[in-house]
Amino acid sequence: MKRFLPLAIRLAVLVLLIVFITEPNVFAPVFKPLTENNAPPIYNQGSLLTLTLLHLRVVLTATVAATIVAVGLAILVTRPSGREFLPLSRSLVNVGQTFPPVAVLALAVPAVGFGQKPTLIALFLYGLLPIFENALTALTTLPNAVMEAARGSGMTNFQRLLRVELPLAFPVILAGIRLSVVIGLATATIGSTVAAKTLGEVIIAGLLSNNIAFVLQGGLIVGALAVLIYDALSGLERLAARRMAPKEEAG
């Protein structure tokens, strides 16, 4: 029963989200009290479904790029030949956390123009740190017994990396990706300030027209996406950890 209730709530949130972004006018009576001077209760300057999909696309693209770079750097600095690059790698991945996303956007626009590109750059830089640190932690805390068994079996360094190290490190790396995605979902909203097509358009339209209903709609969609994706990645992380546990014990 304890597991059923959270699952039922998650399913309810998912269904409500799908209905809202596909048929938002159904919820007009809910948001009408939040409007003034006969303002529209539902965002009417574009498709909520399209904006949601574009929002997810930019976050996914940035997260994939950040994952490739961050995990690649973590692998590099955990090899004997690459350990000297650890301070430099840490400095690189900390850039996104040092500069606010708004500052990154302001610096990126003159170089790449308005639209999705500056938003991708900001999300990419902002997502590097959690993935890198988790990957680094995972790759440097692998069970010694398992690693010795892999060496004893005659595996090459590359084979150990692909068959042993990365599979064992995957749950911890996934935790970093989960954090990066949630950060990206929230941060992507500011991309609309540089003409990127994201759910930030809904929030900005509400602020410019003093329409609280629009602001709430944009915030609720982003919040629901963050909760659902966080929960889904957490479940995948737990599943991966359970699947890796027997291997660790066997080693």
Side-chain angles (χ1 to χ4, degrees), residues 61-81:
T61 303
T63 302
V64 170
T67 299
I68 293 171
V69 173
V71 173
L73 284 175
I75 292 172
L76 172 65
V77 300
T78 53
R79 307 305 100 180
S81 60

Side-chain angles (χ1 to χ4, degrees), residues 9 38 56 79 92 102 109-110 118 132 146 197 208 216 224 231 244-245 248:
I9 293 174
N38 293 320
L56 289 172
R79 307 305 100 180
L92 288 174
V102 174
V109 166
F132 174 79
V146 175
K197 289 288 184 179
L208 292 176
L216 186 60
D231 189 71
M244 289 299 108
E248 294 183 25

Side-chain angles (χ1 to χ4, degrees), residues 136-144 172:
L136 183 63
T137 299
L139 291 171
T140 54
T141 57
L142 295 171
N144 290 329
V172 180

Side-chain angles (χ1 to χ4, degrees), residues 118-139:
T119 306
L120 281 170
I121 293 172
L123 295 183
F124 167 76
L125 292 175
Y126 223 54
L128 283 173
L129 183 61
I131 302 174
F132 174 79
E133 289 295 344
N134 275 47
L136 183 63
T137 299
L139 291 171

Side-chain angles (χ1 to χ4, degrees), residues 109-195:
V109 166
V112 298
F114 288 89
Q116 298 284 75
K117 290 181 180 179
T119 306
L120 281 170
I121 293 172
L123 295 183
F124 167 76
L125 292 175
Y126 223 54
L128 283 173
L129 183 61
I131 302 174
F132 174 79
E133 289 295 344
N134 275 47
L136 183 63
T137 299
L139 291 171
T140 54
T141 57
L142 295 171
N144 290 329
V146 175
M147 296 306 298
E148 289 299 326
R151 293 189 187 94
S153 67
M155 289 185 181
T156 64
N157 291 337
F158 187 67
Q159 287 173 330
R160 286 201 304 271
L161 175 65
L162 290 184
R163 298 181 185 179
V164 180
E165 295 182 56
L166 288 178
L168 288 175
F170 179 69
V172 180
I173 294 174
L174 187 57
I177 294 172
R178 169 167 49 86
L179 181 57
S180 180
V181 168
V182 173
I183 292 173
L185 283 168
T187 307
T189 56
I190 66 171
S192 293
T193 61
V194 292

